[in-house]
Amino acid sequence: MPKIKIAPSILSADWNHINKEIKEVKPYCGLIHVDIMDGIFVPNKTIDSKFVKKITTKVPLDVHLMVQEPSEEYILDFINAGGSIITLHQEAYGSIGELREKLNFIKANGAKPSVAIRPKTPLNSIKDVLDIVDMVLIMTVEPGMAGQKFMPEPINKVRELRKINPNIDIEVDGGISPETIGIAAKAGANVFVAGSSIFGRTDRITAIKELKRNI
Ligand code: DX5
Ligand code: ZN
């Protein structure tokens, strides 16, 4: 079973003091999760690669692109801005061939390729790229905003994927809290994104410890 990592999502942090916010959680987390929304793939729009460039932490940045058909140039901007893991959505491209091409591009440019699926997208839809990704992100809410309710159904995909691949990183994202993290962990997830259940609290360190205690 790969290493367990907590990935605080800066979507719920104070963007005006982003490096201070990250510094506080840094000793307790394995990744910093960076949500990028384009207003097309999902209704909201968030930060861009220029913002990501300003993040100074040494903790690896886990960039989740909720973006329609991101081009190589667009992806490269995030690698150059410091992204260590770049996650593309399966639903964002017209064909699996195009998705595979872009995942290979990420790898060729020195970052880790990862693929995400929405709650209702079957695991089967990514079977032809599993050989090239370092991580699979199973969404446990519809992508688009923080603070939504955890959906239990996608957890079956976590269980199924862990059975066929004991070493891959499996990330869950959406509604992860001390009440839900155990369900995902038991099914085989090892990377846990948490936005509002960390940055929505005044005591972030206690919040992370509570999450870890429930894994
Ligand atoms: C939602 C984003 C998540 C979000 C999670 O579309 O992908 O990363 O920040 O927020 P919480 O943990 O509050 O559900
Ligand atoms: Zn995310």
Side-chain angles (χ1 to χ4, degrees):
M1 173 77 170
K3 207 171 160 225
I4 284 176
K5 288 177 192 153
I6 300 286
S9 166
I10 59 165
L11 188 60
S12 299
D14 177 357
W15 294 350
N16 292 319
H17 303 97
I18 196 62
N19 285 312
K20 189 171 157 258
E21 291 276 80
I22 292 173
K23 205 171 163 197
E24 193 185 347
V25 296
K26 184 193 131 191
Y28 306 91
C29 64
L31 296 170
I32 294 293
H33 187 80
V34 180
D35 286 304
I36 309 295
M37 305 185 193
D38 65 351
I40 301 167
F41 185 76
V42 289
N44 290 325
K45 233 180 172 167
T46 53
I47 50 173
D48 55 14
S49 60
K50 281 196 198 86
F51 182 95
V52 177
K53 212 170 215 160
K54 287 190 214 142
I55 300 175
T56 56
T57 186
K58 287 200 175 69
V59 179
L61 299 182
D62 167 29
V63 178
H64 178 193
L65 295 182
M66 284 165 275
V67 174
Q68 190 62 39
E69 261 187 309
S71 66
E72 293 187 346
E73 194 186 355
Y74 185 94
I75 291 168
L76 195 57
D77 280 346
F78 284 95
I79 298 176
N80 290 337
S84 291
I85 304 171
I86 307 286
T87 298
L88 305 176
H89 265 269
Q90 182 273 345
E91 308 86 354
Y93 291 101
S95 72
I96 194 78
E98 206 183 332
L99 173 67
R100 197 179 166 88
E101 205 180 274
K102 297 296 185 289
L103 291 167
N104 271 323
F105 177 81
I106 294 168
K107 203 178 184 140
N109 283 280
K112 289 184 174 172
S114 158
V115 65
I117 47 176
R118 288 176 180 267
K120 292 192 179 75
T121 303
L123 189 58
N124 197 32
S125 69
I126 54 166
K127 70 172 190 322
D128 290 339
V129 294
L130 287 180
D131 59 326
I132 53 167
V133 294
D134 288 283
M135 185 169 86
V136 174
L137 166 51
I138 308 276
M139 291 300 299
T140 41
V141 298
E142 277 302 336
M145 57 184 161
Q148 301 182 79
K149 197 170 175 276
F150 173 84
M151 297 166 73
E153 299 84 1
I155 293 302
N156 291 326
K157 294 185 278 189
V158 173
R159 204 172 292 116
E160 205 182 316
L161 179 58
R162 180 55 75 214
K163 231 188 269 165
I164 58 174
N165 198 327
N167 301 316
I168 202 163
D169 280 323
I170 304 180
E171 181 174 58
V172 282
D173 181 7
I176 300 297
S177 68
E179 289 72 43
T180 59
I181 197 167
I183 303 166
K186 216 169 277 147
N190 68 300
V191 184
F192 306 94
V193 176
S196 41
S197 70
I198 296 177
F199 287 113
R201 300 261 306 262
T202 40
D203 187 349
R204 282 77 185 268
I205 294 157
T206 304
I208 296 176
K209 285 184 179 161
E210 267 174 38
L211 286 169
K212 286 187 174 170
R213 206 179 307 132
N214 285 284
I215 288 174

